[in-house]
């Protein structure tokens, strides 16, 4: 989409970095995709650096998570990262001046892995920053929406509640399912973890990106 719309630079965000497995993976894939498409890719990883904060209430699923889980070894991760920038601190504070401080290239994809409803809600609010900072449709991965028989993720707690509330609160932005993934012959679990954020009033939303010879 970025290539078709003529973007020269894009950003990819990860909310929840922990030891950095996902961020290091993102760096690798970004490097390969960047070469293929000739598009510059900036990467930003958000984390307290201290592991999970205190769960606020039942919506943060405290029967499954505790404060301090997933603590980052900051110097060890910084030594491994080649280009991703770590935005350290509670998202409550880092969300406030992220756009002003980093002036990121338009965001094309976001991995949400904060685990908590409370943290994800703040991260989702950043989608309100304005079209300068986003592609018209943004690929969003939510890590904590399937789980197993202990987690029992549902529409009324955790990331699913944050997604539902976001959709309820916004007329011109909606997180929608990418049904083409769910129609694949083999539907891997990750297919159930992707949403697309549609910015209906983005000035590039209606730009034709499909095939001319239909
Ligand atoms: C499951 S871990 C992330 C795992 C990582 N994506 C990976 O690939 O290994 C969740 C992370 O979210 C972070 N987190 C949760 N709530 C946060 C908040 N309010 N502000 C900043 N970081 C937060 C925690 O510090 C924790 O490291």
């Amino acid at each position: 989409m970025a290539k078709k719309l003529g973007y020269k630079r894009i950003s990819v965000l990860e909310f929840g970095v922990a030891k950095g497995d996902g961020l290091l993976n993102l760096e690798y894939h970004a490097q390969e995709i960047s070469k293929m498409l000739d598009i510059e890719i900036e990467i930003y990883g958000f984390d307290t650096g201290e592991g999970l904060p205190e769960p606020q209430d039942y919506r943060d699923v405290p029967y499954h998570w505790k404060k301090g889980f997933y603590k980052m070894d900051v110097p060890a991760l910084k030594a491994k990262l080649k280009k991703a920038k770590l935005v350290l601190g509670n998202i409550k504070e880092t969300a406030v001046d992220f756009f002003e401080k980093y002036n990121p290239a338009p965001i094309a994809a976001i991995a949400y892995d904060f685990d908590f409803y409370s943290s994800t809600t703040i991260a989702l609010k950043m989608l309100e920053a304005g079209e300068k900072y986003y592609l018209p449709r943004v690929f969003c991965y939510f890590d904590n929406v399937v789980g197993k028989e202990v987690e029992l993720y549902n529409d009324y707690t955790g990331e699913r509640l944050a997604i539902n509330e976001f959709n309820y609160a916004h007329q011109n932005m909606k997180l929608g399912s990418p049904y083409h993934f769910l129609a694949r012959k083999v539907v891997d679990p990750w297919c159930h973890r992707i949403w697309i954020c549609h910015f209906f009033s983005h000035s590039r939303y209606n730009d034709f990106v499909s095939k001319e010879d239909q």
Side-chain angles (χ1 to χ4, degrees):
M1 192 194 313
K3 186 80 185 166
K4 287 202 167 162
L5 292 174
Y7 287 81
K8 298 271 178 265
R9 297 162 64 233
I10 57 171
S11 297
V12 176
L13 314 186
E14 184 183 44
F15 290 108
V17 175
K19 291 195 166 43
D21 293 349
L23 203 62
L24 290 162
N25 236 292
L26 261 175
E27 271 197 336
Y28 168 74
H29 288 287
Q31 202 177 10
E32 296 300 304
I33 291 165
S34 192
K35 277 187 254 164
M36 281 162 62
L37 297 180
D38 191 25
I39 287 179
E40 179 67 26
I41 305 178
E42 298 171 14
I43 304 170
Y44 298 92
F46 295 76
D47 204 287
T48 60
E50 305 289 324
L52 291 177
E54 195 74 61
Q56 307 280 296
D57 61 37
Y58 76 94
R59 293 172 295 183
D60 289 342
V61 193
Y63 60 74
H64 180 57
W65 283 301
K66 283 188 187 164
K67 180 180 175 189
F69 277 12
Y70 308 114
K71 190 171 163 30
M72 181 187 289
D73 181 341
V74 179
L77 180 56
K78 279 192 174 163
K80 284 189 215 158
L81 291 172
K82 291 198 187 91
K83 69 175 293 187
K85 293 192 175 133
L86 281 179
V87 184
L88 294 178
N90 195 301
I91 192 68
K92 268 195 289 195
E93 281 103 44
T94 56
V96 176
D97 61 355
F98 169 70
F99 292 101
E100 205 182 304
K101 205 162 155 187
Y102 291 88
N103 191 26
I107 296 159
I110 308 174
Y112 292 90
D113 193 10
F114 269 163
D115 302 337
F116 287 178
Y117 159 82
S118 57
S119 310
T120 306
T121 298
I122 300 169
L124 285 175
K125 208 163 160 45
M126 292 168 73
L127 292 166
E128 295 170 1
E131 70 164 72
K132 173 179 162 198
Y133 295 115
Y134 291 96
L135 260 68
R137 291 170 293 285
V138 173
F139 281 75
C140 299
Y141 169 86
F142 291 89
D143 197 57
N144 308 108
V145 291
V146 179
K148 296 200 184 110
E149 68 278 10
V150 174
E151 292 95 318
L152 295 176
Y153 296 128
N154 64 86
D155 287 324
Y156 309 98
T157 64
E159 288 179 350
R160 284 188 182 269
L161 176 62
I163 293 168
N164 291 337
E165 287 186 354
F166 177 87
N167 280 339
Y168 189 74
H170 296 91
Q171 277 308 311
N172 292 320
M173 304 178 223
K174 296 280 183 192
L175 288 158
S177 288
Y179 290 109
H180 70 292
F181 284 138
L182 304 178
R184 286 158 62 118
K185 257 193 196 140
V186 179
V187 183
D188 290 312
W190 67 263
C191 297
H192 292 281
R193 295 186 173 120
I194 309 278
W195 270 255
I196 309 296
C197 186
H198 292 258
F199 293 95
F200 301 126
S201 49
H202 194 295
S203 59
R204 308 293 310 275
Y205 189 81
N206 298 330
D207 286 15
F208 188 80
V209 292
S210 197
K211 285 189 190 148
E212 290 291 351
D213 58 346
Q214 292 177 40

